[in-house]
Amino acid sequence: MAETLWLAIDATIIAAVANCVSPLVNAHLGSTNLALVVIGAIVTSVAAIAMPGIPTHPRKLRDSKLKICYRAAAALKVFWWSAAFSVVMQTVLAFRLIPSDWKLWICGAASCFLVESLLFWRGMIAAYVSSVQLGVKTRAMGMICGWIPVVNLVMLLKIIHILDTETVVEEAKERLDASREDERICATKYPILLVHGVFFRDSDVFDYWGRIPDELRRNGATIYYGNHQSAASVRDSARELTERIRDIVGMSGCGKVNVIAHSKGGLDMRYAIARCGAAPYVASLTTINTPHRGCGFADYLLSKASPLTRHRVASAYNAAAERLGDPHPDFLAAVRDLTQAGCSNLNAEMLAEPFPAAQTVRGVPNNAMTSGMSANTDDGVDDGTDTGSALAEPVNNGQFAGIICHSVGSCLRHAAGGRFPLNFTHSLVKWFDGPNDGLVAKSSFPWGDRFTWLEPKGKRGISHADMIDLNRENIPGFDVREFYVQLVAELKQWEL
């Protein structure tokens, strides 16, 4: 209510100032005095637009970009209503002034246009600079549609709606974090190690995990990253991660880490524990949308691509990855390990016992699995896929004794719900493997003691990239940041 009142007041003030020449209808001022009045109106309008409290928000916002985003929406709302008033006002003035003093109307209309333009661009620039949810596509459409009459008004309303929704969601997130700040619900005994998937690197410029690490830190978590190569075989990545974990433990003295691994990173960490000696340093492993049984789609792509094509793509990728810092990238090795046959071979290797079985940690459930697999699906959905009895299942060997193992998977309902390239691959993966996240089928996700299946209501669903907040998108019905907060909070409850 308070926001609506301030918006109405602001729109009225701006519109009145923008059309300040209306009192001059019957006046006959000299050019100097008229210029001073117009300049005074413009200065007053600019001052009003620049005021930080337009409109005054009923609650305080912590994040500086969120404040800018809110004020951008406010400026665009004021522009919408004041511009509508100005159009009507200038039309009335045109009929009255043009026959007798058209120069006065031209001067007034120009000053009005300038004030409204300042208000519009102030809002749009602030929105483009501060908003996370607008995205590249909406920004591009806004720039293109801005030159098309009527369409530009529809686009403006869409942008205002996006900004409003973003402010409401982020403000609620700020209030939630503030209310539990003293609880530090993510302050686990052991730090969190985030392990990325294939074809990405850990970077300070663009975080693979989106807004998730900052949200975990705000709630008390200590975060580390895997810092391994973007593309390598599971065996090579596992060795890299084992050394990384040993470095973290040696540097911090933490003893162990809780690992959250996405996509191929889950395979890398399973191999690191089962075959590379990382087990004594891992308290828990949570795999996020990991293809534990491989991707039938990857088998299809490799079978259809000619040797020359595979060689060219691999050479181009490896060369680019080396320039970005990967010491020994291997595109084809990474892809082969993601096929159903590749994962079957890895699962068979990881079932073997390369070292003496790890000792059960006191107070922590022993989750070593000798046969079969336990998965908490509870949805009664038939995947419609059959991986074949000849393929080895992802069963843990004795190295996992005392390590909490949890797997998570999600479903993208429609191709349109995923961004490029998942909007293209979803239908193909569905044809090969059934329900999927745009890359990996549901049947490939389950592993460990517990399996969590995420399929929120609505038409969109959750894609492979959504599960790591890659696009920084607020998804209706699924708060990815809060999902990870609760995931880590559960580890704290288990005293991990």
Side-chain angles (χ1 to χ4, degrees):
M1 186 65 183
E3 179 186 343
T4 304
L5 178 61
W6 276 106
L7 176 61
I9 294 173
D10 292 337
T12 302
I13 293 174
I14 295 297
V17 174
N19 295 277
C20 66
V21 294
S22 59
L24 305 177
V25 173
N26 297 315
H28 298 282
L29 300 177
S31 58
T32 302
N33 291 332
L34 181 60
L36 289 175
V37 171
V38 173
I39 292 173
I42 294 174
V43 171
T44 305
S45 299
V46 172
I49 293 169
M51 287 174 62
I54 294 184
T56 301
H57 197 274
R59 289 177 290 269
K60 292 183 178 179
L61 299 170
R62 290 185 174 185
D63 186 74
S64 58
K65 279 196 172 183
L66 187 57
K67 292 178 183 178
I68 298 173
C69 182
Y70 179 81
R71 291 169 186 167
L76 292 177
K77 289 178 186 177
V78 172
F79 165 77
W80 176 269
W81 292 109
S82 64
F85 176 85
S86 296
V87 169
V88 174
M89 188 69 178
Q90 290 300 321
T91 301
V92 172
L93 290 175
F95 283 106
R96 188 167 183 179
L97 285 179
I98 290 179
S100 60
D101 198 344
W102 62 271
K103 291 183 179 179
L104 182 61
W105 180 81
I106 290 291
C107 185
S111 65
C112 178
F113 177 79
L114 179 58
V115 170
E116 294 291 355
S117 296
L118 288 172
L119 183 59
F120 171 79
W121 286 110
R122 182 249 190 179
M124 289 301 292
I125 292 173
Y128 273 50
V129 168
S130 63
S131 175
V132 175
Q133 299 306 305
L134 280 181
V136 176
K137 180 180 177 181
T138 305
R139 283 176 167 86
M141 288 179 62
M143 295 174 67
I144 296 171
C145 295
W147 303 98
I148 306 174
V150 181
V151 177
N152 53 9
L153 299 179
V154 175
M155 196 66 208
L156 177 59
L157 287 177
K158 180 179 180 180
I159 290 174
I160 291 173
H161 175 71
I162 292 174
L163 297 177
D164 272 345
T165 304
E166 180 175 357
T167 304
V168 170
V169 170
E170 296 305 319
E171 184 189 34
K173 176 66 67 179
E174 283 190 353
R175 290 201 308 271
L176 177 61
D177 287 340
S179 68
R180 63 191 181 192
E181 187 173 5
D182 295 336
E183 299 178 35
R184 293 174 55 81
I185 63 172
C186 293
T188 52
K189 178 180 178 182
Y190 304 114
I192 306 298
L193 175 65
L194 298 177
V195 177
H196 66 70
V198 71
F199 306 141
F200 280 90
R201 291 174 49 84
D202 291 313
S203 169
D204 294 332
V205 178
F206 182 82
D207 200 316
Y208 177 83
W209 296 86
R211 300 164 294 176
I212 294 167
D214 286 340
E215 184 67 17
L216 293 176
R217 291 188 188 100
R218 275 192 289 269
N219 286 279
T222 300
I223 304 293
Y224 291 98
Y225 295 94
N227 291 340
H228 53 303
Q229 294 187 92
S230 64
S233 69
V234 166
R235 299 164 185 82
D236 288 342
S237 295
R239 284 188 282 269
E240 285 186 74
L241 287 167
T242 300
E243 290 304 313
R244 172 62 175 158
I245 292 171
R246 285 173 174 157
D247 289 343
I248 292 172
V249 171
M251 175 184 62
S252 66
C254 59
K256 295 185 177 185
V257 292
N258 291 303
V259 183
I260 300 177
H262 178 247
S263 193
K264 176 179 173 288
L267 297 175
D268 298 336
M269 273 308 308
R270 281 181 53 213
Y271 199 94
I273 294 170
R275 305 287 297 179
C276 299
Y281 312 106
V282 178
S284 69
L285 172 58
T286 303
T287 64
I288 309 293
N289 292 46
T290 292
H292 294 289
R293 294 164 185 78
C295 304
F297 181 53
D299 292 79
Y300 174 78
L301 289 179
L302 280 181
S303 66
K304 292 299 180 182
S306 67
L308 179 60
T309 299
R310 292 199 297 266
H311 175 73
R312 286 178 175 175
V313 172
S315 297
Y317 181 89
N318 293 340
E322 282 186 351
R323 287 194 292 271
L324 292 174
D326 282 3
H328 305 291
D330 193 335
F331 176 89
L332 285 179
V335 174
R336 289 193 186 102
D337 280 349
L338 293 174
T339 63
Q340 290 180 335
C343 282
S344 179
N345 292 334
L346 290 169
N347 288 332
E349 284 186 45
M350 286 187 274
L351 181 58
E353 294 288 351
F355 306 104
Q359 299 298 314
T360 300
V361 178
R362 181 176 298 177
V364 178
N366 188 329
N367 69 330
M369 303 175 68
T370 57
S371 64
M373 176 184 57
S374 174
N376 182 23
T377 54
D378 295 331
D379 59 341
V381 176
D382 183 7
D383 297 327
T385 58
D386 182 12
T387 56
S389 58
L391 298 178
E393 284 290 303
V395 179
N396 294 336
N397 64 11
Q399 297 300 310
F400 286 84
I403 299 175
I404 299 296
C405 297
H406 179 197
S407 55
V408 177
S410 68
C411 179
L412 181 64
R413 291 182 181 273
H414 294 282
R419 294 192 181 183
F420 179 83
L422 302 184
N423 52 346
F424 289 103
T425 58
H426 174 265
S427 299
L428 292 172
V429 178
K430 186 176 181 179
W431 190 83
F432 280 101
D433 300 329
N436 64 89
D437 65 356
L439 285 178
V440 184
K442 177 182 179 181
S443 57
S444 194
F445 292 137
W447 164 82
D449 295 326
R450 184 162 54 103
F451 171 54
T452 299
W453 176 243
L454 301 174
E455 191 173 359
K457 296 180 181 179
K459 297 181 179 180
R460 188 190 186 286
I462 310 169
S463 75
H464 197 76
D466 293 333
M467 285 302 300
I468 52 168
D469 196 34
L470 187 67
N471 297 313
R472 281 72 171 164
E473 183 178 357
N474 293 334
I475 302 169
F478 178 63
D479 185 345
V480 64
R481 288 171 288 176
E482 188 61 21
F483 172 78
Y484 279 89
V485 167
Q486 296 304 321
L487 197 69
V488 175
E490 189 176 46
L491 295 176
K492 181 182 179 181
Q493 293 174 359
W494 290 340
E495 299 183 353
L496 298 176

